[in-house]
Amino acid sequence: MAAAALLATTSFASLAHAAPAKNIVLVHGAFVDGSGWRAVADILTKDGYNVTIAQPPETSLDDDIAATKRLLDAQDGPTVLVGHSYGGAIISGAGDHTKVKSLVYVAAFQPDVGESLGSLAASMPPAGTPLKPSTDGFLYIEPAAFRADFAADLPAAETNFMARAQVGLSVKAAGASAGPPAWKAKPSFAVVATRDRSINPDLERSMYKRAHSQVIEIASSHAVYMSHAAEVAALIETAAQ
């Protein structure tokens, strides 16, 4: 009886993992908020997906993982968890949630145990201008460099507004060591932004290769999820299937 119950439970878990996901949770990265996902979310919603936008506070990696898991708790079935930039570190920690079917890294950090954003960036520095620290321990992009370093393929009027609306990333979050990553246990997909000046594209390739992620490359700035929303949405839908 016990063996039969265990077999039934195992079979159900396998079927749940194999079933297509209809829920998508999108996690933004440093210096921006969830509104940048609008174009991707609109495509996914039109295609029949239930889309939720996370708004992690960027105060600490633990806080941001907790904020994301709170949304995962509310999903009604298998979910694709998507992260941009620093959001990759968040989904690597939050992705162990039982409802997460697969992970999508969009020009994102994909840390292993003990690695941080700072240590990864130092291993292969990006081409952009170094980040600035505030007096109270938050990092930001120099507004004059924002368009070139973060979103060179978006209209200047849009990037000028983004530069003035930055969400600072805490130094605590940037230096936090990652725990066991979900990508070691769940399928992962990834976008390399080949013109990225915020994360070195070669670092993206290196991280995604060791994780055996299914990778596409897009000739884009770091803001690839905004400038190439259709391609990013298509990869998310592949992950959902």
Side-chain angles (χ1 to χ4, degrees), residues 4 9 17 19 30 36 48 56 101 103 114-115 128 144 147 151 156 171 175 195 217 221:
T9 301
H17 184 72
K101 170 189 174 68
L103 305 152
E115 294 177 340
R147 184 165 191 266
V171 172
R195 297 173 182 169
E217 297 205 354
S221 72

Side-chain angles (χ1 to χ4, degrees), residues 19-118:
K22 297 302 292 184
N23 301 305
I24 313 290
V25 173
L26 304 172
V27 184
H28 69 75
F31 317 121
V32 292
D33 63 23
S35 64
W37 284 112
R38 180 62 185 266
V40 170
D42 285 349
I43 294 168
L44 295 172
T45 300
K46 182 180 178 181
D47 290 346
Y49 292 91
N50 172 44
V51 182
T52 305
I53 316 297
Q55 293 281 25
E58 301 185 32
T59 48
S60 76
L61 182 57
D62 287 343
D63 289 347
D64 297 334
I65 290 172
T68 302
K69 285 190 169 182
R70 193 176 306 123
L71 297 183
L72 292 170
D73 288 340
Q75 304 306 306
D76 63 1
T79 301
V80 177
L81 186 57
V82 185
H84 170 252
S85 192
Y86 165 56
I90 298 172
I91 70 170
S92 292
D96 63 357
H97 195 285
T98 56
K99 293 180 181 177
V100 174
K101 170 189 174 68
S102 56
L103 305 152
V104 181
Y105 292 83
V106 181
F109 288 100
Q110 195 183 45
D112 202 345
V113 177
E115 294 177 340
S116 68
L117 272 62

Side-chain angles (χ1 to χ4, degrees), residues 92-163:
S92 292
D96 63 357
H97 195 285
T98 56
K99 293 180 181 177
V100 174
K101 170 189 174 68
S102 56
L103 305 152
V104 181
Y105 292 83
V106 181
F109 288 100
Q110 195 183 45
D112 202 345
V113 177
E115 294 177 340
S116 68
L117 272 62
S119 68
L120 286 168
S123 70
M124 294 186 190
T129 305
L131 300 175
K132 301 287 187 179
S134 69
T135 56
D136 59 345
F138 284 79
L139 300 171
Y140 65 95
I141 299 172
E142 180 65 47
F146 190 93
R147 184 165 191 266
D149 289 353
F150 194 94
D153 45 3
L154 293 178
E158 186 171 5
T159 57
N160 288 343
F161 181 83
M162 292 168 66

Side-chain angles (χ1 to χ4, degrees), residues 181-225:
W183 54 258
K184 287 191 174 181
K186 299 183 180 182
S188 62
F189 300 75
V191 177
V192 173
T194 63
R195 297 173 182 169
D196 199 330
R197 290 175 55 86
S198 293
I199 301 177
N200 189 321
D202 286 336
L203 175 59
E204 293 172 15
R205 295 184 181 102
S206 175
M207 292 184 293
Y208 304 157
K209 181 178 180 180
R210 72 177 178 185
H212 305 291
S213 301
Q214 182 174 316
V215 179
I216 64 170
E217 297 205 354
I218 300 175
S220 172
S221 72
H222 191 55
V224 60
Y225 67 112

